[in-house]
Amino acid sequence: RMVIRKKSETAQEIIDRNLQHPAFAKYTILQIVNDIDPHSELNKYVSEPKRNEYFFSMWMKILRLRFESIHAKGLESSELHNDFEIIDQTIAQLYYTTMQGKKANRNKKIEKDNLRAFYLRIKPMLQYIVDESEKLGGGFMVAHTGYHFIQLLDFFFGFETSFILQLASRIVRCAAANSFTYDQSTLREIVKLTERLLADHKDLLSDPDNFNSLIQILDLFANSGWQEALELTWRLKEIF
């Protein structure tokens, strides 16, 4: 922990040598989320948008190493467990940290402006994970990662709705390759997203890109046999 938090050249050399090791990378992520927690009174991302740059840069380095490892081994390799587990841990930890905070900050109220600023802070990381996932085969993401990813985006939906919707569509397309669209709990998240769009952001669906993003999501679930997704697709086409 001291090495991770100590910002010195020697500490950085130790970290750089060890970030490629899965156990060290997983431990590092667990330490980082405690420090970047947007529920903490110390993390005023509105007034300090570059706060915790050291930790976010370290986390991005971990992700780059994992995706480089996947590309080097190939998607058919039997040695990808740790790589995908670390990517999954990233999204899961961001979700739980955003939802409820960590340790002493658990269940503390988070101001909307600080939540928005935190979203902008992690946005490059989220986009990077989706960009790299689309490069795996024809697009691939572990279903469990996709599930927490969609849940995470729900917290930020009102900030950049068009971007979030289109990112969600890309996530679903990637995770569909890992049976994501056959899970009922995942379907519930998509139904919730669609109902929220129709209730609060209906005007956005007049944009063809937004409308097509949502239809593509629902079509993937409808093609997996979910009647609810098919009914929502019909409803959308009747409205628009």
Side-chain angles (χ1 to χ4, degrees), residues 4-144:
I4 293 168
R5 291 202 169 104
K6 189 171 179 61
K7 301 174 186 178
S8 71
E9 189 173 321
T10 302
Q12 192 61 56
E13 288 176 0
I14 294 171
I15 290 168
D16 289 343
R17 283 200 306 269
N18 287 281
L19 279 184
Q20 63 183 319
H21 299 300
F24 184 82
K26 293 171 189 176
Y27 177 80
T28 300
I29 289 172
L30 291 176
Q31 296 306 312
I32 288 174
V33 291
N34 292 325
D35 286 283
I36 68 165
D37 187 353
H39 296 260
S40 170
E41 294 177 359
L42 297 174
N43 291 325
K44 301 183 185 301
Y45 290 106
V46 176
S47 57
E48 298 179 78
K50 289 293 185 181
R51 183 167 178 79
N52 293 319
E53 176 66 25
Y54 174 73
F55 294 123
F56 284 111
S57 295
M58 194 186 303
W59 205 342
M60 279 296 293
K61 189 176 291 186
I62 291 171
L63 289 170
R64 283 195 294 271
L65 286 168
R66 289 356 287 183
F67 277 108
E68 287 170 5
S69 174
I70 294 169
H71 286 302
K73 296 171 187 171
L75 198 54
E76 301 302 317
S77 173
S78 61
E79 300 177 355
L80 298 176
H81 175 76
N82 282 315
D83 299 315
F84 283 121
E85 192 174 62
I86 289 169
I87 296 165
D88 184 70
Q89 181 193 22
T90 291
I91 296 300
Q93 287 297 323
L94 284 173
Y95 167 65
Y96 287 115
T97 301
T98 304
M99 178 178 68
Q100 62 190 19
K102 306 294 285 187
K103 294 187 175 181
N105 301 307
R106 194 176 181 86
N107 295 324
K108 281 187 178 179
K109 183 180 178 181
I110 178 170
E111 297 297 330
K112 186 175 180 179
D113 286 346
N114 205 48
L115 180 62
R116 182 196 297 267
F118 178 70
Y119 156 69
L120 294 174
R121 195 72 189 81
I122 66 172
K123 180 182 174 181
M125 186 185 301
L126 304 182
Q127 192 157 9
Y128 175 76
I129 291 172
V130 177
D131 288 346
E132 291 302 310
S133 296
E134 287 184 323
K135 297 174 186 177
L136 303 177
F140 182 87
M141 182 181 290
V142 172
H144 186 262

